[in-house]
Amino acid sequence: MKSFGMRRKYLFRKHQEKERFPMADRELLSQREFLSIGDVLREMDIDFIVAGEYGITVDEAARFIHHPHFIFLDVRTQEERDHLTFPFSLHIPLNALPDRVDEVPRDKFIITFCLSGFRAAMGYAFLRTQGFDEVKALKGRLDELAGAMKPERFYRLLP
């Protein structure tokens, strides 16, 4: 279920589409129900970036590691994953994501991550073009995520 803020943002985007696209283009857009990369980039104005709309911090994300509604999508290469594995994540390398996007559950909140955040942001943008509304990129380094997995951290997260 979408939160009120997510729903409001969705309705605002729909309103913006009416402003940006003539009627014929709007009908085509609603038929495919996907955003173009241009649409995703248009969302990324200064307010979007300053508010951090595209991302989630490691501290925020750590609370959702074992939450059933959240999927951590590891977009690193297989070689990188062989060196450090996150057992709670779904691994699909960024270069394979276009061919394997159907493996990503559409009814979950997706958090993309990689070594530095660059590929996570690209994964975020790609998933947005594929109709995923609940998606964020991890803002932070991989060593911070590994640090979030320490046993005492999980102990503090328990209810």
Side-chain angles (χ1 to χ4, degrees), residues 26-43:
R26 276 201 321 258
E27 289 172 5
L28 180 61
L29 186 65
S30 66
Q31 287 174 1
R32 68 181 172 146
E33 296 184 19
F34 295 134
L35 298 173
S36 71
I37 192 67
D39 294 329
V40 172
L41 294 176
R42 283 184 201 97
E43 289 179 346

Side-chain angles (χ1 to χ4, degrees), residues 82-124:
D82 290 344
H83 290 286
L84 179 61
T85 301
F86 293 92
F88 56 83
S89 68
L90 169 64
H91 178 245
I92 302 177
L94 184 64
N95 65 341
L97 190 55
D99 297 325
R100 296 177 56 192
V101 70
D102 291 336
E103 295 176 36
V104 181
R106 292 186 176 274
D107 62 339
K108 306 287 184 187
F109 193 108
I110 309 301
I111 299 173
T112 60
F113 72 93
C114 67
L115 182 63
S116 66
F118 179 74
R119 287 171 290 173
M122 291 178 70
Y124 160 86

Side-chain angles (χ1 to χ4, degrees), residues 36-85:
S36 71
I37 192 67
D39 294 329
V40 172
L41 294 176
R42 283 184 201 97
E43 289 179 346
M44 297 181 181
D45 61 8
I46 190 68
D47 294 329
F48 177 88
I49 293 168
V50 168
E53 291 289 326
Y54 67 92
I56 185 169
T57 67
V58 172
D59 285 336
E60 293 168 328
R63 297 186 323 223
F64 305 119
I65 287 176
H66 293 292
H67 192 287
H69 184 65
F70 289 79
I71 298 289
F72 284 75
L73 180 60
D74 181 353
V75 295
R76 298 175 300 148
T77 65
Q78 183 62 49
E79 293 81 8
E80 290 173 293
R81 187 172 193 264
D82 290 344
H83 290 286
L84 179 61
T85 301

